[in-house]
Amino acid sequence: MSFKSKYILAIALTALLIITNQIIIQYFLAQKRYDAKVINVSGKQRMLSQRLTGLIHHYHLKKDTEVRKDIQRDFEEWESVHYNLINGNRTLNIKKLPKDISIKLEEITPNITYAKETINNIENLNTDDLEQFEKNQSLFLKEMDKVVKTLEKTSDKKLTTIIITEIILALLTLIVLCLEVLWVFVPAVNQLAIQNKKLEDTKKVLEDYAFIASHDLRTPLANILGFLALFQRKAGHKLNEDELKYLDFINDGTRRMNQTTKDLSSYALAGKVEKDKVDFGQIVLDVLAEMEFDNKIKSSIKVGRLPKNIIADKVLMKLMFKNLISNAVKFIPKSRQPQIEISSEKKKGAYMFTVKDNGIGIADADRQKIFSIFRRLHNKEKYDGNGVGLALCKRIVEGHQGKIWVQSEEGNGSTFYFTIPI
């Protein structure tokens, strides 16, 4: 299958997953909104029941004809709402409730029948009749409270289902997108390294794909992080220690993938060089100011004289030094006093820049591997990272028609060199 076909298929599959994701979540949200409507109707029924009790007491004391009309009107509405909840009502868009809730409502239907008889005989009520009516209404309210709580629990379960479904769909989208990157992007980059003749023709397509892939990854990542936070807030107290640990694993993995998408975006944009006069000394100072190192590390970084007014891309040079310096710091053992030196030397037709450290070094067999994208020499538990940094540096230097290489002895530090033509 050609790259173009893979590219179109990957974009189509990504779009399909995102659209499916949104359709499903909108369906569940509609169900949640309907539940809220039913709960509101149930609450209205409860309110009418309380109001009816008060009106009957008032009429018993004053025999007010207007109050009598209010009693009749409220009762009819109360009765109508009750049977609508049991049987459903298409006009009001109220579906028939689940069987267990309908049974509970049917069990308290005699209370409505009793209330109807009481209202029909309202002129002849005595104190005992009123007390009996209050008891029946109190019982009705208790049972309605149970129904409302059941509805609320059912609604909460649906919310949990929404969150879990969204997380699963977002993770599925994330996995598919990662597979697309491995299936389409990485092989294409390796092929470009061999096919120099086709470099300019395929370069823009790859850059666009990487940008689109990393951009599309942010939607499911944002959904995962957002719904994880909501899930922890809504249901965190119900989870046991193992379940909370699983959530932490998902959270950590999502944040790592978020960093990978940012690096992929930077990798794509590294091919677009916008040159201007650059002060390399100022760039390094800006990078060190932005990076959060402790005083011990900051004091260990020695910066030599660096050139000014060199034509290069300022943003990409900052990214270059940021990756090289952070790598130097990362691979120095904690037991060792850090020593990092940044310097430059003018060569024929170019400036050669040096970033030297006293870290763990690199084996001879791995010196070329480290510049390949997603190539890691150490597991992430020991040294954090995703294998994009040095590949990004290589891409930046090559975009400036320069070279990058490393000299190192395993266990005795590394020295990275790169050139920028002048």
Side-chain angles (χ1 to χ4, degrees):
M1 185 182 289
S2 68
F3 173 79
K4 186 177 179 180
S5 299
K6 288 182 180 180
Y7 175 80
I8 293 171
L9 181 61
I11 295 301
L13 183 58
T14 301
L16 179 63
L17 281 170
I18 292 174
I19 291 169
T20 303
N21 188 333
Q22 290 304 311
I23 290 172
I24 292 174
I25 201 64
Q26 288 304 318
Y27 169 78
F28 279 119
L29 287 175
Q31 292 293 309
K32 185 79 171 96
R33 285 193 291 270
Y34 175 76
D35 288 345
K37 179 180 178 180
V38 173
I39 290 170
N40 286 337
V41 171
S42 302
K44 182 179 180 181
Q45 191 190 33
R46 194 182 186 286
M47 178 272 291
L48 287 169
S49 174
Q50 291 175 312
R51 177 178 157 87
L52 200 58
T53 303
L55 287 172
I56 289 175
H57 268 285
H58 184 72
Y59 182 80
H60 181 70
L61 294 173
K62 295 191 176 180
K63 305 295 181 183
D64 188 333
T65 55
E66 290 300 320
V67 173
R68 180 70 179 85
K69 290 178 183 178
D70 289 342
I71 290 172
Q72 189 61 37
R73 185 179 64 251
D74 282 3
F75 172 78
E76 288 173 359
E77 186 176 3
W78 179 46
E79 184 180 42
S80 173
V81 169
H82 183 77
Y83 286 110
N84 283 339
L85 286 171
I86 294 176
N87 302 316
N89 187 311
R90 286 188 177 180
T91 306
L92 298 176
N93 193 26
I94 296 176
K95 301 174 187 176
K96 192 171 181 179
L97 292 174
K99 189 174 180 180
D100 57 334
I101 297 177
S102 295
I103 290 172
K104 288 182 181 179
L105 289 171
E106 287 171 354
E107 287 174 352
I108 56 177
T109 299
N111 294 70
I112 291 182
T113 305
Y114 177 80
K116 187 173 185 178
E117 292 171 356
T118 301
I119 291 169
N120 289 337
N121 193 38
I122 196 168
E123 304 296 340
N124 302 316
L125 294 181
N126 56 38
T127 304
D128 290 339
D129 293 330
L130 286 173
E131 287 179 358
Q132 184 59 41
F133 179 77
E134 283 185 12
K135 286 180 181 178
N136 274 326
Q137 291 300 90
S138 177
L139 178 62
F140 179 85
L141 290 173
K142 270 186 189 177
E143 294 303 316
M144 276 308 299
D145 283 341
K146 291 178 183 178
V147 169
V148 171
K149 284 180 181 177
T150 302
L151 287 169
E152 288 175 343
K153 285 181 180 178
T154 302
S155 183
D156 287 341
K157 285 180 181 178
K158 286 182 180 178
L159 176 61
T160 302
T161 302
I162 291 172
I163 294 169
I164 292 173
T165 302
E166 180 62 16
I167 289 173
I168 291 171
L169 285 171
L171 283 172
L172 178 61
T173 306
L174 193 61
I175 290 168
V176 170
L177 286 168
C178 289
L179 290 174
E180 287 174 3
V181 171
L182 294 173
W183 182 48
V184 182
F185 182 71
V186 176
V189 171
N190 292 335
Q191 185 181 10
L192 286 175
I194 300 169
Q195 300 177 340
N196 291 325
K197 187 177 178 181
K198 297 180 181 180
L199 178 62
E200 292 303 322
D201 295 334
T202 56
K203 182 179 178 183
K204 188 175 185 305
V205 177
L206 280 172
E207 288 173 349
D208 289 345
Y209 175 76
F211 182 79
I212 290 169
S214 61
H215 182 270
D216 286 349
L217 279 169
R218 291 173 190 169
T219 299
L221 284 170
N223 285 342
I224 293 172
L225 291 171
F227 277 97
L228 271 175
L230 180 60
F231 185 78
Q232 286 176 319
R233 186 168 69 251
K234 290 281 187 180
H237 62 282
K238 299 177 183 178
L239 303 179
N240 60 39
E241 187 176 348
D242 284 340
E243 290 167 338
L244 288 171
K245 190 184 295 182
Y246 301 153
L247 281 181
D248 287 338
F249 287 155
I250 294 173
N251 208 357
D252 181 61
T254 304
R255 295 187 186 282
R256 286 178 181 274
M257 183 54 69
N258 189 40
Q259 184 58 48
T260 300
T261 61
K262 289 180 181 178
D263 290 342
L264 274 174
S265 181
S266 297
Y267 189 85
L269 295 174
K272 299 176 181 179
V273 179
E274 296 180 4
K275 294 184 178 182
D276 200 354
K277 290 182 179 180
V278 175
D279 182 345
F280 278 78
Q282 189 59 50
I283 281 180
V284 171
L285 290 178
D286 290 344
V287 168
L288 293 176
E290 290 173 9
M291 300 181 82
E292 298 178 354
F293 294 143
D294 58 36
N295 291 331
K296 178 183 177 182
I297 292 175
K298 283 183 178 179
S299 63
S300 71
I301 300 174
K302 307 299 180 185
V303 182
R305 172 172 273 184
L306 300 178
K308 298 180 180 180
N309 299 324
I310 301 299
I311 302 301
D313 187 308
K314 183 177 180 180
V315 174
L316 294 180
M317 286 299 106
K318 281 186 73 172
L319 196 56
M320 179 87 180
F321 278 105
K322 185 176 181 180
N323 275 286
L324 291 176
I325 294 170
S326 62
N327 259 20
V329 172
K330 183 197 304 185
F331 293 107
I332 296 176
K334 292 182 179 179
S335 60
R336 193 176 296 179
Q337 176 66 33
Q339 292 178 10
I340 300 169
E341 298 176 10
I342 302 169
S343 60
S344 68
E345 181 181 354
K346 190 173 183 180
K347 297 286 186 178
K348 186 178 179 180
Y351 266 97
M352 183 178 72
F353 296 87
T354 306
V355 179
K356 182 179 180 181
D357 65 63
N358 63 332
I360 60 174
I362 303 166
D364 290 346
D366 295 327
R367 288 185 188 178
Q368 292 306 314
K369 294 179 183 178
I370 60 174
F371 294 109
S372 299
I373 192 168
F374 298 127
R375 183 62 64 90
R376 295 172 49 88
L377 301 183
H378 310 279
N379 61 53
K380 65 181 181 181
E381 285 75 24
K382 191 170 183 180
Y383 295 106
D384 194 18
N386 50 36
V388 176
L390 289 175
L392 176 59
C393 290
K394 184 173 186 282
R395 188 166 169 79
I396 291 172
V397 170
E398 289 178 347
H400 287 77
Q401 290 77 50
K403 296 181 180 179
I404 185 170
W405 67 97
V406 62
Q407 290 183 357
S408 180
E409 183 180 345
E410 194 169 9
N412 290 319
S414 302
T415 303
F416 283 87
Y417 301 91
F418 70 91
T419 60
I420 300 295
I422 54 176

